[in-house]
Amino acid sequence: MGRGRLRIYLGAAPGVGKTYAMLGEGRRRRDRGADVVVGLIECHGRPRTEEMLDGLEAVPRRVMVHRGSSFTEMDVDAVIARRPKVALVDELAHTNVPGSRNAKRWQDIEEILDAGIDVISTVNIQHLESLHDVVESITGVPQRETVPDAVVRRADQIELVDMSPEALRRRMAHGNVYAPEKVDAALANYFRVGNLTALRELALLWVADRVDEYLRQYRADHGISATWPARERIVVGLTGGPEGDTLIRRAARIATRGSGGELLAVYVSKSDGLTGASPEALEQQRSLVERLGGTFHSVIGEDVPTALLDFARGVNATQIVLGSSRRRPWQYILGPGVGATVAASSGDIDVHIVTHEHAGVGRTVPVPRSVLGRRRLLTSWFVALTGPVLLTSVMVNFRGHLTVPTEMLLYLLLTVVVGLLGGLWASAVTAVLASLLLNYYFTPPLYTLTIRDPENIFALAVFVVVALSIATVVDIAARRTHQAARSRSESETLSFLAGSVLRGEQALPALLERVREAFGMESVALLQRPAPHSPWAVVGAAGPRPVHRPEDADVEVPVSETVALALSGRVLPAADRRVLGAFAAQAAVVLERRQLVAEAAEARRLAEGNRIRTALLAAVSHDLRTPLAAIKASVSSLRSQDVSWSPEDEAELLAAIEEGVDRLDALIGNLLDMSRLQTGTVTPLLGEVALDEVVPGALLGVPESAVVLDVPETLPTVWTDPGLLDRVLANVIENAVKHNPPDRRVHVRAELVRDRVELRVVDRGPGVPDEAKERIFEPFQRHGDAPAGTGVGLGLAVARGFAEALGGSLVAEDTPGGGLTMVLALPMSGGRPPVPGPPPGIGAGTSVSAAP
């Protein structure tokens, strides 16, 4: 069984009539005898849409329960089991209720299509993934439901349901789209005339592109090469010459005369890659084409007119724009030229020959630069000038024993040797000089430049031609070898760059150092400025003495108006700038990523600060109010003249006041400590400390009978701040006592573990699950059902923060048999004092309490 066919009704906005059109098509197919069912239709309370459902069989929906509420979704299995010919399924981009088999409705439709059932569906232009950001920028409304463009493009048929903005607004005003209470807000916001016009244009252009794809596919399937002028496509042929800008602008004006015109620029290069225009000129012309809204293409072809026409027919071009030839009149002896050849062979494609100031002034043939090396060139020229003279002086002594053909072959051998050494020009000089010497010394009449035998004239001519041909072949081979080596080097460099991108390597200094090494530069700097006319600043550099302004560099590669890559050391040839441009673009991406990471970190810091402040206000408002209320009630009672208090009652009220003041003191202390940690102002005063002298002092805030202490005097001293250590232990022990059962005691013991001393605070309370062990070290966290009023959740936060500032660590572990064990590890003293860790910031490893 084959796959079903998909038909989609596309609209510019809600309310244009997509669902109505889909139901109309369903009813027409049913009337023609097709088996049509409704898989799912959303009427949105629109009476006319509901009327269209009459007489159509609807497959019962599937009821889904999510977070205590019931929802209905399309029952895919029921639709497939029913096996209709056509299924009507509304809202292609809809997101299914969590727990459904597929996350999106278009995935449900794919299953139905795979079962051989045709599907008719609907979608709005704003739901296409590629237009998501465009629609949001137009309407200001983010789209939460999107569908991949490929899904819609695969549809067998797409039909645009179009409606003018004014007509759609009238429909809304009449209540045909939304409920009356929503109409005014919709018309004033999303359904403004400007928004609807822009959305309508997007829908029309998208469908036009899809139609163009259908047309190209049809022409390819049927082998049609003739031009079908469905829309204007202007192809402009470029040579990289100075007339290119004029041709591009002229072609752009032609393309904009009609609606939907396209501009395509094409450059034809030789297959050997050794001849062609300046890369810089082509890059500038590419940039101009893209700024004018066109596209730049480069094709390979030995015959320029044929390659140009093949490209034009392949893109269904309607017009070709070429420049007047730069040839001088006498050069037309060699052929009619590209423009005339294209015009004669273009068929139904119009050809425009545009005049320009460079027409007919002559075209210089670029002299290829030698790639053989300076020493090799000097050697070849030395041999070219001295070799024929030396060879002649030797052969003169054997003139009676050698024939002219032999002498000619010896000169030819010398010419080949010079060609192998120095290429074309040195070999050409050798050939000319050898022919003169051969004529003067060995061809009768001797010692004159005249030749008596016509056969010798022909032989000399052949000799010169062969010598020059060999020199040309050697020169081409050397250039191709050089080009191949260069291409390999560029490929390796670009491969490294692509690999760094795929691996996610974002180290800007390493990338700039790679640029410096690859191009042999003294220094490389990435410059940035906040605005186009602001001063430059170095944001990344490699090598000594990087430049601080692009104009001071030997090579400048602008990336944008505010970012540039500046290199110093030597001037690079134009051929190297292509690869350098790729590095510059990647450096800009790395810089942008680094800035985005910094901005994200700052945003997280600000968000965390806001969260901390919000939690602080919420917690303090309660935890300050409770003891203050108790203190105020006790003081008011003591000052009351209406009641006579016994000494016992007065003592109880005074104890309540003292308890409230102690709670306030602890709360204020923790808040101040957390503030110090957040601002990074914790400065430990480190020294050698014996734990058996510090730990007992941390137990003053808890009942003596609640803790069992086991700290051997034989333990080595630790390198710490006794004051901060006391605060760490006091918070941890107080937290353990609060959560320990009343009939059990908290155990505090110390032991030596390798080069650190560990203090373990062991309780037998309810414990903490593994997934919550780190969360209890976040600010303002109370784990489990810790009662309100037992603190704001800063005790463990302050404890871990101080522990890390002391160069230690504080972690939570399970107590065997139940409960929680806090492990405080401190560096043992001896040798060089350890470097304490920086005071952590909230959200980046900060310590926080669970239930202080």
Side-chain angles (χ1 to χ4, degrees), residues 489-546:
S489 176
E490 289 183 358
S491 299
E492 291 176 352
T493 304
L494 293 174
S495 175
F496 162 80
L497 183 60
S500 66
V501 173
L502 294 175
R503 292 190 298 270
E505 296 175 4
Q506 302 294 340
L508 185 59
L511 182 62
L512 296 180
E513 179 63 27
R514 176 72 179 188
V515 174
R516 191 182 71 85
E517 294 175 355
F519 295 96
M521 306 302 289
E522 180 182 348
S523 66
V524 178
L526 186 64
L527 307 178
Q528 187 181 36
R529 56 184 177 181
H533 301 291
S534 301
W536 293 93
V538 179
V539 293
R545 299 181 299 278

Side-chain angles (χ1 to χ4, degrees), residues 281-302:
L282 286 176
E283 186 59 34
Q284 292 173 0
Q285 292 173 7
R286 176 197 294 270
S287 177
L288 177 60
V289 170
E290 293 175 350
R291 288 200 306 271
L292 294 174
T295 56
F296 185 93
H297 307 266
S298 180
V299 298
I300 297 175
E302 295 300 330

